Amino acid sequence: MRNNSFEDLDTFKAWCKENGFVYPSSEIYGGFAAVYDYGPYGTLLKNNIQREWEKYMIQERNDIYLIDSAIFMHPKTWEASGHVQSFADVLVEDKKTHKRYRADHLIEEYFESMGEKIDCDKKTPEELANIIQKYNILSPDGNELTTPRNFGLMVKTNIGTTDSTLTDQNVVYARAETCQGIYLNYKNIIDTFHPKLPFGIAQVGKAFRNEIVARQFIFRTREFEQMEMQYFHHPKDKDRIFDMWMKERMNWLVNVIGLRSQNLRFKRHEKLVFYASKAFDIEYNFRTLGGFKELEGIHDRGDYDLSQHSKFSGIELDYFDPDTQESFIPHIIETSIGLNRLFFAVLEDALTVEKVRNGKGEIDNRIVLKISKYLSPIKIGILPLVKQDKLIELSRSIQNVLKREYITQIDISGSIGKRYRRFDEIGTPYCITVDFKTLEDSTVTVRDRDTMQQDRVSIADLTKYFSDKFK
Ligand code: GAP
């Protein structure tokens, strides 16, 4: 049986907290809406997902450059990109409680409760107001709503007081998408590396948005991380390249990250965000959020961004093709996935509850995080059979041999059965048990998380054993 106790969001959130994956931010001050911290296992898992993305998108290819641009950019960046004018959600407020909601979400929830579906994607405040009025939609507390209005999503802050490059009371924006840092470095990459089209520039980093609602755990937060890649190409190749990236991204999610393919699907956007001329989402079936929702976006951004930045900066951003002697602004296909949102999907997909027989022959629940071993936070658990100095000492010496290559953890507290369960629950693929036989013949048992089969392996062979397992 799979996932039988993790269908609702509260149980899932509690599991993430209890197991050191995700903590609510600023909890001792009562929390801070739509912001989360990552605990020790969550940090390791997030880093592992990021590393797999960088391997697939950069290391295993020859045509993509990885950069790390600053979160703050010249404020003109966001005027040129169109975000200052157009990046907004539609807000409504409960007239009595003053709680704020996204109008499109309230309407969609209302229709869902009636067993119907409506797509409010990119509807204007006026269109949403008409729907609210027609169906007399109220707030979740049963009160009337204010007239829908646009609410800017850019997070504003101030920097310095003497910087002459800034105007408008020193307002700067925390970046709302990482790709703008890529466009601003496109010319640097061209000047330094002289790449031929098509080529990509990628980066992973924080983005910030003033999200209106804060009820979806790490699915929608005000501070999050994106893994974005912009693929520069000649416009004649756009359809082929768009299709290639649709296949590549789905392949990575299924065959590298290990999400179950039945939980993923493509969805074409009918109404487009202001910078895109064609857009598909890869959606994941988030059960704890009630169904399929956007996980990754694949966007044809055409020459919109480079043209805008060229216009606003006055700097030419053309590409010169030495073969055809043609000079033009390259077009861009973008792939953009939220690291935290993928982290959510990975946990939801892998969290499994199995019925097993315990030592007394009774049926027990075994919670196992059936995550790819390459993503597991702890690769190898090391367990002395009992709390005895010699066994603990030997466990430490085994850890010393393995720790440079793998993240390992020794656990000495509680019964051996309980300790296996703890490692199963955080997805540790292998557990080494050091027992009394180890003292006699220098062998240990290695238990496989998924099959629960045990191998007896000589300590001297452990390095080779695990290098085969993690090949
Ligand atoms: N550069 C394109 C772009 O930013 P987007 O659809 O707004 O497009 C891309 O965002 C991805 O970033 C989404 O598919 C999602 O995975 C993630 N994302 C967006 N907003 C988010 C938020 N508030 N919290 C967590 N992840 C978010």
Side-chain angles (χ1 to χ4, degrees):
M1 192 186 299
R2 291 193 79 128
N3 302 310
N4 58 352
S5 16
F6 294 97
E7 295 291 336
D8 75 279
L9 190 56
D10 287 341
T11 316
F12 182 70
K13 275 162 90 168
W15 182 91
C16 286
K17 183 170 178 231
E18 276 158 24
N19 287 283
F21 282 87
V22 185
Y23 303 129
S25 169
S26 318
E27 216 180 356
I28 61 168
Y29 289 105
F32 195 50
V35 185
Y36 287 89
D37 297 336
Y38 288 76
Y41 296 140
T43 306
L44 289 168
L45 170 57
K46 196 152 63 66
N47 289 348
N48 291 343
I49 296 174
Q50 177 177 339
R51 203 169 39 240
E52 289 301 330
W53 187 84
E54 289 175 355
K55 265 194 194 164
Y56 192 78
M57 298 295 279
I58 292 120
Q59 186 174 321
E60 294 174 11
R61 303 179 59 98
N62 291 315
D63 58 351
I64 298 186
Y65 299 85
L66 182 66
I67 65 162
D68 183 11
S69 73
I71 285 171
F72 292 130
M73 283 174 265
H74 195 287
K76 271 195 184 161
T77 308
W78 302 102
E79 288 169 35
S81 71
H83 282 76
V84 173
Q85 309 87 304
S86 312
F87 197 46
D89 277 337
V90 182
L91 169 84
V92 282
E93 222 175 284
D94 179 313
K95 280 188 178 168
K96 260 201 189 140
T97 65
H98 301 291
K99 282 189 204 158
R100 294 164 150 202
Y101 301 95
R102 259 177 73 167
D104 55 344
H105 287 179
L106 270 192
I107 295 172
E108 282 168 8
E109 279 163 24
Y110 170 83
F111 274 80
E112 248 170 62
S113 72
M114 312 295 281
E116 290 174 43
K117 260 202 164 321
I118 186 170
D119 191 355
C120 291
D121 211 18
K122 311 282 172 306
K123 283 205 190 318
T124 63
E126 293 70 35
E127 288 170 323
L128 297 173
N130 287 340
I131 301 174
I132 289 176
Q133 205 181 20
K134 182 168 172 196
Y135 294 93
N136 191 26
I137 297 174
L138 300 172
S139 78
D141 295 318
N143 303 317
E144 265 188 49
L145 296 164
T146 55
T147 308
R149 67 178 165 93
N150 269 331
F151 179 80
L153 292 177
M154 296 292 291
V155 173
K156 270 190 203 169
T157 186
N158 298 80
I159 246 182
T161 48
T162 54
D163 189 338
S164 61
T165 60
L166 297 177
T167 51
D168 196 16
Q169 283 97 42
N170 301 320
V171 166
V172 292
Y173 300 95
R175 68 182 175 200
E177 52 175 7
T178 58
C179 57
Q180 294 299 328
I182 292 180
Y183 308 139
L184 268 49
N185 280 288
Y186 153 83
K187 189 170 167 356
N188 286 330
I189 297 292
I190 293 272
D191 291 349
T192 319
F193 298 96
H194 313 289
K196 281 193 136 193
L197 290 182
F199 70 92
I201 308 179
Q203 80 164 321
V204 181
K206 293 257 181 180
F208 302 83
R209 293 182 191 178
N210 248 329
E211 297 285 359
I212 296 168
V213 267
R215 286 175 293 123
Q216 293 173 305
F217 191 36
I218 52 171
F219 179 83
R220 192 181 305 284
T221 48
R222 297 194 166 121
E223 174 181 339
F224 57 99
E225 281 156 277
Q226 290 186 315
M227 304 191 285
E228 296 202 304
M229 189 282 305
Q230 313 295 307
Y231 206 67
F232 300 83
H233 60 276
H234 192 290
K236 72 176 164 41
D237 297 325
K238 64 197 256 165
D239 290 334
R240 179 180 60 78
I241 286 175
F242 198 96
D243 289 352
M244 172 190 82
W245 281 112
M246 296 242 295
K247 286 195 192 100
E248 285 288 354
R249 297 308 305 144
M250 187 60 100
N251 180 52
W252 182 74
L253 288 168
V254 174
N255 294 317
V256 180
I257 293 303
L259 295 181
R260 282 176 275 166
S261 55
Q262 67 266 33
N263 284 334
L264 290 162
R265 69 179 187 196
F266 284 111
K267 183 187 165 194
R268 191 188 179 115
H269 276 260
E270 299 307 333
K271 289 209 174 173
L272 294 163
V273 66
F274 61 91
Y275 53 71
S277 52
K278 176 172 160 190
F280 273 78
D281 284 345
I282 298 181
E283 293 189 329
Y284 178 77
N285 186 11
F286 287 95
R287 285 182 321 280
T288 59
L289 299 177
F292 279 94
K293 293 198 184 301
E294 174 184 346
L295 177 63
E296 170 151 13
I298 300 156
H299 310 129
D300 181 350
R301 297 180 75 128
D303 61 358
Y304 173 82
D305 300 278
L306 288 184
S307 300
Q308 285 292 100
H309 287 305
S310 179
K311 191 165 121 196
F312 275 67
S313 65
I315 302 288
E316 193 184 275
L317 295 176
D318 279 14
Y319 169 86
F320 176 70
D321 187 329
D323 298 333
T324 61
Q325 300 285 303
E326 209 186 343
S327 192
F328 60 98
I329 290 200
H331 283 217
I332 292 170
I333 305 288
E334 165 183 70
T335 73
S336 172
I337 185 162
L339 175 51
N340 318 74
R341 211 174 264 192
L342 176 56
F343 174 104
F344 190 161
V346 164
L347 285 184
E348 228 198 67
D349 216 71
L351 204 48
T352 306
V353 183
E354 288 180 347
K355 299 279 179 209
V356 290
R357 234 168 246 291
N358 65 21
K360 295 179 200 149
E362 301 150 341
I363 298 287
D364 236 355
N365 279 341
R366 180 174 93 114
I367 302 174
V368 198
L369 190 65
K370 292 208 163 176
I371 197 173
S372 144
K373 58 188 163 196
Y374 302 103
L375 298 184
S376 296
I378 304 292
K379 303 288 188 240
I380 302 165
I382 305 174
L383 303 87
L385 183 65
V386 291
K387 220 172 176 176
Q388 199 226 50
D389 284 349
K390 275 201 172 151
L391 297 185
I392 294 174
E393 209 179 294
L394 208 47
S395 301
R396 295 229 162 90
S397 65
I398 291 172
Q399 185 178 41
N400 282 338
V401 174
L402 297 173
K403 72 182 180 190
R404 179 120 194 108
E405 198 62 38
Y406 308 100
I407 302 228
T408 60
Q409 188 173 300
I410 297 181
D411 188 354
I412 51 177
S413 60
S415 73
I416 187 83
K418 282 211 174 108
R419 283 180 279 156
Y420 276 143
R421 290 293 163 80
R422 278 204 291 267
F423 278 120
D424 287 343
E425 192 158 351
I426 59 160
T428 305
Y430 302 105
C431 281
I432 295 175
T433 305
V434 180
D435 54 24
F436 294 108
K437 198 161 178 284
T438 315
L439 298 176
E440 291 163 17
D441 64 4
S442 294
T443 63
V444 290
T445 58
V446 181
R447 172 184 175 271
D448 181 296
R449 175 194 73 197
D450 297 334
T451 62
M452 292 200 274
Q453 296 294 319
Q454 307 205 351
D455 287 338
R456 196 83 202 170
V457 184
S458 146
I459 293 177
D461 293 337
L462 279 176
T463 310
K464 162 92 178 63
Y465 178 87
F466 286 117
S467 87
D468 287 347
K469 292 282 183 195
F470 283 99
K471 217 174 240 169

